[in-house]
Amino acid sequence: MFLFFSGNTVEEQNEHYEYLTVGKGRNRKVVQAEVQTVPILKKTQNTDAEKIKTHADYAFASIWEMYDTFQETLGEGGEDSEDSDSSDIKHHKLDDITSLDSYRISPDEKQLNKLMKNPRFLEAVCVIERLLANNCYNEQQKRFRGLSDPYVFREDIEYKYKLNLLWTFANSSTQVQPERQYAFEEPVTALNFSKHNPNLLAIGFNTGYIVVLNVISREPLIVGDNMPTFEPVWHISWEAGYFEHSNRELICATFSDGRICVHALARKLKAQQIMRVPKTDGKLKGYNSMRKCTNLTVPVSRYSSPYLLTSHPAHKQIYFIGTNEGTIHKCSTNYFNQHLDSFCAHDGPVHSMRFSPFSKKIFVTCGDDWNTRFWAEDISEPILEIFVNMQSVHGLEWSPAHATIFVSIRGSSILVWDLQRKIYEPQSATPSPTGSRNTVVQFTESGRCLVVGDIDGNVHMFSLEDMPFIPFFQENLLFESLYRALITYPKILKKLKKVRRAVQMST
Amino acid sequence: MANEVDETMKRIQSHKGVVGTIVVNSEGVPIKSTLDNTTTVQYAGLISSLADKARSVVRDLDPSNDLTFLRIRSKKHEIMVAPDKEFILIVVQNPTD
């Protein structure tokens, strides 16, 4: 076909084009011209749509749900839900890491394991254990709290001074778990709760490290600690009123190298040494101790090791230190590194020194030389000496309810003494239920119950039964009993009477 | 991990007089129990709904308050329930007195 496109046809086409666009053909009529559009063929078709499933549902908004929603919009609830989501994610991650086992553990166990970490679950377990114990030991707990005292007007009253075992906390027992358990690497040698903030516990270790914990949390929450000094801490206590300008509580600690330091509660406890306990030579007043056969001219250490620290009940700034050599030093916080007075109390370490709760002048000490000695503050020799058998007296405590009753522990027995009746023999001797050597004894505040701890880690709780009635004039009774006991020692009796008159004149 | 769980359950179970312990998760399904299956399912279902009702009582009276513990004493047993958002801990005890 292209063969027929000669130059003539092309020329003719070009002329035609020009005629139509530029020439006379431009004004031709186009009204009558017909045009045809391409027909589009249509067809109807059906399709299927899925039915939208509807389900009748309801929402119930009670007063507290509305309250909860309000709380959330205030911003607190939002954070809580975020936290729980992230903790869920964390838990899932942990499970994935140990994924070898996670396929074998059923989802129930996984949920249980997650619950174990929930602190609310642990608290619920704690509360349930308390209630379970209460259901079984209801009577004993009532006795301990002082809610069910024995009937005062019963007819057959006998003074038997019995000790009734209420319950025992034992280390190995699976029944009772301690509510808080803190594990440390070094041995703990001393601990004490604060009197101003009872949730703070000060702990002293064998290495001289002191830590203050807040017992509100289950994990050890360290509030303050110090630099360890590598000497065991023998005694730690919270004392207030040591210095006149502040009534703040200070942590007072005694170390085995003879130093006594006070620390103010801070993140890093700084020690301020208030006393260094020297070894004493020569003859001291007090107990006539035996001469020691040492011919050392230069001792190993010039300082002796303080085992205990007791504050004077009347003067807050005076405190007494009992050492492992048996001497007791009287020191004051106003004079650092010096002692006001000292006397020899025992032949061996002094274990306990207690002032009578009813008289600020009388105190009693006990030590490893098998003796218990009574002293009055202005008399330089012991008033009374009690010896039962050749066993070290490990602790003693005055009864806070009776002026003349005190309890001492020697070996595995607990002895209850009453100065009013006889001094050469205890009123009652109770052997420890587990037969182990007792180390510490303390009365409860009402004087009705006694706690005894022993060397195997058991803590026994006793209640005192069949005790005499509480006297009205406690201090009077105490002094009268001491007079009666000192009939054969007229010189000491005279001195004691003078002390008593001084006390009476000052009140 | 599993040891801690077992230890805690054994501790509660070894108290004097405890008949059984059940831990229920947030959906009402018992996940750990020391009783047989039928009793467990029964306890879980009934106690969950009772705990919910008790909770709504406390909150209706005062919306800022919340239920912390529920104790049901009957002639033969005592049922102690510790309800929470994520779990319910149920302990049944036979008090000796």
Side-chain angles (χ1 to χ4, degrees):
Chain A
M1 186 142 180
F2 289 105
L3 288 169
F4 289 97
F5 269 149
S6 58
N8 292 334
T9 45
V10 173
E11 288 252 338
E12 276 174 31
Q13 278 177 358
N14 284 349
E15 256 186 61
H16 188 63
Y17 185 74
E18 270 193 43
Y19 169 71
L20 283 178
T21 50
V22 180
K24 292 189 190 144
R26 228 172 133 212
N27 302 324
R28 68 185 186 283
K29 263 191 182 168
V30 289
V31 171
Q32 309 295 340
E34 293 171 10
V35 173
Q36 197 172 23
T37 53
V38 180
I40 300 171
L41 297 172
K42 290 188 197 152
K43 180 182 159 192
T44 52
Q45 196 176 9
N46 294 333
T47 51
D48 262 334
E50 270 193 34
K51 182 177 179 202
I52 300 171
K53 283 196 193 133
T54 53
H55 175 71
D57 204 356
Y58 68 95
F60 177 69
S62 60
I63 299 178
W64 42 275
E65 265 154 357
M66 291 192 266
Y67 178 87
D68 278 344
T69 326
F70 272 126
Q71 294 294 100
E72 272 185 39
T73 56
L74 287 174
E76 299 149 21
E79 279 156 13
D80 280 334
S81 59
E82 270 180 51
D83 273 0
S84 64
D85 282 340
S86 61
S87 66
D88 279 345
I89 292 168
K90 264 191 249 157
H91 284 298
H92 284 310
K93 274 199 192 139
L94 278 176
D95 284 334
D96 286 340
I97 288 168
T98 61
S99 59
L100 273 177
D101 286 326
S102 69
Y103 289 116
R104 286 184 232 141
I105 301 176
S106 65
D108 282 351
E109 283 211 33
K110 270 195 241 179
Q111 272 185 334
L112 252 186
N113 291 341
K114 202 162 76 165
L115 264 187
M116 277 291 140
K117 298 185 193 114
N118 192 350
R120 286 201 305 268
F121 183 73
L122 295 170
E123 269 196 49
V125 168
C126 193
V127 171
I128 283 208
E129 285 194 318
R130 274 199 211 172
L131 289 174
L132 289 172
N134 188 22
N135 272 339
C136 301
Y137 292 97
N138 203 353
E139 277 303 319
Q140 290 95 328
Q141 284 191 0
K142 276 199 263 191
R143 239 0 176 82
F144 175 64
R145 291 291 224 115
L147 295 170
S148 76
D149 288 341
Y151 185 50
V152 183
F153 299 106
R154 62 188 188 278
E155 285 171 350
D156 52 345
I157 298 185
E158 266 182 45
Y159 294 159
K160 283 194 228 132
Y161 301 85
K162 272 194 313 197
L163 284 176
N164 194 12
L165 177 66
L166 293 180
W167 64 78
T168 303
F169 293 124
N171 249 350
S172 55
S173 153
T174 47
Q175 284 229 351
V176 187
Q177 279 293 95
E179 292 197 4
R180 295 278 188 271
Q181 221 170 350
Y182 301 115
F184 294 100
E185 285 150 2
E186 306 104 32
V188 174
T189 48
L191 53 85
N192 217 323
F193 276 98
S194 155
K195 293 183 203 73
H196 284 187
N197 308 329
N199 57 324
L200 293 179
L201 176 65
I203 308 176
F205 291 86
N206 207 22
T207 57
Y209 185 47
I210 298 180
V211 140
V212 179
L213 284 186
N214 188 345
V215 296
I216 286 180
S217 83
R218 281 170 189 279
E219 300 300 316
L221 179 62
I222 296 182
V223 175
D225 59 1
N226 76 338
M227 285 295 292
T229 52
F230 312 111
E231 292 283 336
V233 179
W234 288 123
H235 173 95
I236 198 167
S237 63
W238 296 74
E239 308 284 348
Y242 258 6
F243 304 105
E244 294 107 19
H245 52 267
S246 70
N247 206 14
R248 253 182 344 152
E249 263 200 331
L250 300 165
I251 303 169
C252 189
T254 66
F255 295 90
S256 183
D257 57 355
R259 282 181 309 129
I260 309 213
C261 303
V262 293
H263 314 262
L265 181 59
R267 190 64 193 79
K268 277 282 161 205
L269 298 169
K270 257 190 349 186
Q272 187 187 11
Q273 184 179 319
I274 59 174
M275 179 69 193
R276 197 89 201 251
V277 184
K279 274 207 201 318
T280 52
D281 347 291
K283 186 109 174 59
L284 285 171
K285 61 184 182 209
Y287 166 61
N288 210 352
S289 72
M290 297 184 279
R291 255 192 353 198
K292 299 189 173 52
C293 49
T294 52
N295 38 11
L296 291 167
T297 43
V298 180
V300 170
S301 147
R302 278 188 26 229
Y303 302 104
S304 56
S305 161
Y307 273 6
L308 57 88
L309 194 147
T310 323
S311 291
H312 195 283
H315 310 285
K316 283 218 178 93
Q317 279 127 22
I318 299 187
Y319 57 94
F320 291 86
I321 302 173
T323 64
N324 64 344
E325 307 197 316
T327 48
I328 295 191
H329 301 264
K330 176 173 164 183
C331 315
S332 158
T333 57
N334 292 327
Y335 304 102
F336 281 7
N337 296 324
Q338 301 165 31
H339 60 245
L340 299 175
D341 199 3
S342 73
F343 58 96
C344 179
H346 287 273
D347 250 329
V350 182
H351 278 296
S352 191
M353 169 179 171
R354 299 259 185 259
F355 273 87
S356 164
F358 297 99
S359 165
K360 299 196 177 44
K361 294 276 179 185
I362 309 272
F363 61 91
V364 63
T365 64
C366 71
D368 264 347
D369 65 341
W370 317 318
N371 279 321
T372 312
R373 298 205 171 90
F374 285 78
W375 310 76
E377 197 169 337
D378 300 316
I379 304 180
S380 56
E381 44 186 351
I383 314 178
L384 209 55
E385 211 176 80
I386 299 182
F387 171 81
V388 179
N389 54 12
M390 294 202 235
Q391 267 182 324
S392 131
V393 188
H394 233 282
L396 61 86
E397 178 96 22
W398 289 98
S399 160
H402 288 258
T404 53
I405 294 185
F406 69 95
V407 167
S408 72
I409 44 174
R410 42 178 81 226
S412 67
S413 49
I414 307 159
L415 309 172
V416 179
W417 301 79
D418 190 351
L419 286 177
Q420 197 186 14
R421 311 209 187 271
K422 41 189 171 171
I423 56 160
Y424 48 85
E425 206 190 34
Q427 290 294 123
S428 85
T430 325
S432 156
T434 53
S436 15
R437 189 159 67 91
N438 296 328
T439 46
V440 70
V441 66
Q442 245 184 11
F443 270 92
T444 59
E445 268 196 43
S446 67
R448 177 151 297 290
C449 296
L450 195 66
V451 185
V452 175
D454 66 25
I455 212 165
D456 282 333
N458 304 321
V459 175
H460 306 286
M461 190 76 66
F462 292 95
S463 78
L464 295 161
E465 311 276 334
D466 297 323
M467 300 287 281
F469 295 105
I470 298 176
F472 277 124
F473 301 108
Q474 305 263 21
E475 198 177 351
N476 205 13
L477 184 63
L478 177 62
F479 273 101
E480 293 293 322
S481 329
L482 286 172
Y483 290 164
R484 227 185 44 176
L486 291 173
I487 280 193
T488 45
Y489 301 95
K491 284 195 215 138
I492 306 182
L493 183 59
K494 224 167 64 173
K495 287 192 205 168
L496 189 61
K497 285 197 171 153
K498 233 183 1 186
V499 167
R500 175 94 166 107
R501 251 176 285 141
V503 165
Q504 274 172 330
M505 281 203 288
S506 62
T507 50
Chain B
M1 216 19 72
N3 259 342
E4 256 181 51
V5 172
D6 285 336
E7 246 186 62
T8 319
M9 302 295 284
K10 242 191 286 191
R11 233 169 53 205
I12 302 185
Q13 188 66 25
S14 64
H15 268 268
K16 215 161 72 152
V18 171
V19 173
T21 317
I22 306 170
V23 180
V24 177
N25 72 352
S26 48
E27 285 136 28
V29 175
I31 50 179
K32 185 96 176 152
S33 166
T34 58
L35 301 164
D36 59 283
N37 207 11
T38 7
T39 326
T40 303
V41 167
Q42 234 185 342
Y43 265 106
L46 296 167
I47 302 273
S48 301
S49 45
L50 182 64
D52 275 342
K53 184 70 176 168
R55 187 157 181 264
S56 65
V57 165
V58 172
R59 298 212 71 190
D60 273 341
L61 294 171
D62 177 11
S64 60
N65 204 355
D66 198 2
L67 178 70
T68 47
F69 210 85
L70 185 61
R71 276 170 95 164
I72 305 164
R73 270 195 113 104
S74 69
K75 272 195 242 175
K76 295 191 191 166
H77 307 297
E78 172 165 356
I79 307 174
M80 290 177 248
V81 183
D84 188 88
K85 251 191 308 191
E86 293 163 17
F87 65 88
I88 303 183
L89 176 61
I90 304 170
V91 177
V92 183
Q93 191 192 25
N94 230 335
T96 46
D97 49 38

